[in-house]
Amino acid sequence: MICLGIESTAHTFGVGIIDENGRVLANVIKAFTTEKGGIIPGEAAQHHADVCANAITEALQESGLSIRETGLIAFSQGPGIGHCLKIGATAARTLSLKNKLPIIGVNHCIAHLEIGRLMTAAKDPVLLYVSGANTQVISYEAGKYRIIGETLDIGTGNFLDVFARHIGLGFPGGPKIEELAAKGNNYIKLPYTVKGMDVSLGGLLTNLKRKSDAGLKKEDLCFSLQETAFAMLIEISERALAHCGKDELLLGGGVACNKRLQEMAERMCEERNAKLFVPKDRKVLVDNGLMIAWLGILMHKSGRKMSIEETDIKPYQRTDHVEVTWR
Ligand code: AMP
Ligand code: MG
């Protein structure tokens, strides 16, 4: 079985093709970016509509297959921005109906976890999923993927991007903050907000903006930002490992590309005899269609079928709403 998966939850329109043995056949990523300002849902959706046909054609060319040689169409059903989700869902329905292929809608966050399990040796990990919009610690418990901890306000990537914009670094901000942070060495005290198993980044963002407006060095602020925000994420990940009795931590989402975050995760895992797993390919960490295709295969093989009527988008879907039939 070969599946074509479509990702369109936020800024990225992605098309991935994978077979049931986990062989990657294509992974095309078209990301919407802006020179100034954040993502306006209607504009991102327009971007997806503009690139949709080309992305599908490119992915098929990369795989050397025709659409009829695939056996399943998967798409991101949620959570995400409604305007954006609709483009991916419509493209998936069209491909499915036109070519008489089964269709399956999948949960975006669980897809990050499952592609991590495929690409690394992790078997039953706790996932620290840190992307633009999402920040969640997810673990498979009592038959479902549960959110053990999460952000109470903004996602880590958005937090980085907004601060980067504030200090004139442009978008996406995460990699630029990482570069500047490497040049800073003076730790500036910042608010550290962990509430139970959750983190809050809004207050930290305001505090950083004020400090930068007051003229503190950008390099030191970026350095201190990373040390503080990442320590919060590592703290809740460590507690999740302890509570869930697990010894594998998996990283996913675009922010997981950050070397300092990886280093801190590595150190924490070493100290508690756990193992850290990070997919090597950046295109697997960020939003992509490949992970959607892979989760589609797992669900389909476990017997999950979806009628077209069931393929409506679910912008607010939670990971624990999903019935797990494949584990
Ligand atoms: P995603 O939503 O998973 O596609 O990830 C996109 C987010 O990852 C954006 O907010 C980026 O700023 C962030 N990002 C990408 N690379 C890095 C990096 N090296 N360090 C921190 N954040 C990053
Ligand atoms: Mg994502």
Side-chain angles (χ1 to χ4, degrees):
M1 150 134 327
I2 294 170
C3 179
L4 181 145
I6 298 178
E7 157 60 25
S8 76
T9 55
H11 46 74
T12 294
F13 190 89
V15 183
I17 304 177
I18 197 165
D19 74 9
E20 65 183 303
N21 301 315
R23 197 159 63 94
V24 177
L25 301 170
N27 190 13
V28 171
I29 295 176
K30 308 260 182 210
F32 172 68
T33 58
T34 55
E35 289 291 321
K36 262 174 84 182
I39 298 174
I40 297 168
E43 288 179 6
Q46 186 58 48
H47 162 267
H48 296 352
D50 292 344
V51 302
C52 172
N54 278 344
I56 293 168
T57 308
E58 246 181 71
L60 286 169
Q61 275 170 357
E62 200 175 307
S63 70
L65 299 170
S66 74
I67 186 71
R68 281 166 204 278
E69 287 170 290
T70 65
L72 177 68
I73 305 295
F75 70 100
S76 265
Q77 198 164 18
I81 302 170
H83 297 64
C84 299
L85 286 168
K86 273 186 192 160
I87 306 294
T90 305
R93 283 184 212 118
T94 308
L95 288 176
S96 160
L97 290 170
K98 187 157 181 283
N99 302 290
K100 300 194 172 55
L101 295 168
I103 185 168
I104 195 150
V106 315
N107 178 282
H108 175 93
C109 309
I110 296 178
H112 273 288
L113 195 147
E114 290 298 353
I115 198 73
R117 285 213 302 155
L118 174 69
M119 295 292 167
T120 70
K123 293 202 169 53
D124 184 21
V126 165
L127 170 72
L128 171 59
Y129 169 37
V130 267
S131 69
N134 296 296
T135 293
Q136 302 181 341
V137 177
I138 300 172
S139 179
Y140 182 67
E141 294 295 313
K144 282 194 168 169
Y145 284 102
R146 315 268 172 188
I147 300 170
I148 309 291
E150 64 190 314
T151 175
L152 294 171
D153 38 44
I154 49 177
T156 309
N158 285 355
F159 157 76
L160 294 168
D161 295 336
V162 172
F163 182 63
R165 202 185 309 140
H166 189 81
I167 60 173
L169 296 180
F171 178 90
K176 290 171 182 149
I177 288 183
E178 181 172 18
E179 257 175 57
L180 270 193
K183 296 178 192 146
N185 50 16
N186 176 30
Y187 183 78
I188 297 163
K189 198 168 180 321
L190 293 169
Y192 182 99
T193 319
V194 172
K195 300 184 181 184
M197 290 301 292
D198 299 325
V199 299
S200 159
L201 296 163
L204 177 56
L205 177 60
T206 308
N207 192 284
L208 279 159
K209 284 179 173 172
R210 287 209 186 117
K211 288 196 162 89
S212 126
D213 293 347
L216 273 75
K217 252 178 83 183
K218 285 179 190 175
E219 289 79 2
D220 289 338
L221 285 174
C222 289
F223 168 74
S224 309
L225 170 161
Q226 286 199 162
E227 295 306 302
T228 309
F230 295 168
M232 287 157 52
L233 298 172
I234 298 302
E235 180 188 331
I236 62 167
S237 303
E238 174 165 30
R239 207 168 314 119
L241 287 170
H243 280 326
C244 301
K246 297 202 172 162
D247 57 7
E248 297 176 337
L249 180 67
L250 175 68
L251 299 186
V255 183
C257 298
N258 188 289
K259 290 284 174 293
R260 180 58 184 148
L261 179 67
Q262 294 180 8
E263 211 174 85
M264 287 165 84
E266 183 75 61
R267 174 89 60 89
M268 178 273 280
C269 285
E270 259 170 40
E271 282 176 7
R272 55 178 301 110
N273 284 325
K275 210 163 164 4
L276 175 69
F277 296 94
V278 188
K280 284 200 183 69
D281 184 1
R282 184 188 161 84
K283 282 174 74 183
V284 168
L285 281 173
V286 299
D287 285 353
N288 64 86
L290 190 73
M291 65 181 189
I292 304 304
W294 179 238
L295 180 50
I297 289 215
L298 293 177
M299 290 173 73
H300 184 81
K301 276 180 42 182
S302 75
R304 182 78 172 90
K305 302 262 183 306
M306 254 182 215
S307 64
I308 285 286
E309 289 70 33
E310 288 176 281
T311 61
D312 53 326
I313 58 164
K314 295 187 162 55
Y316 300 104
Q317 187 181 51
R318 297 275 290 177
T319 64
D320 55 7
H321 286 168
V322 178
E323 197 195 335
V324 181
T325 46
W326 62 95
R327 278 187 72 158

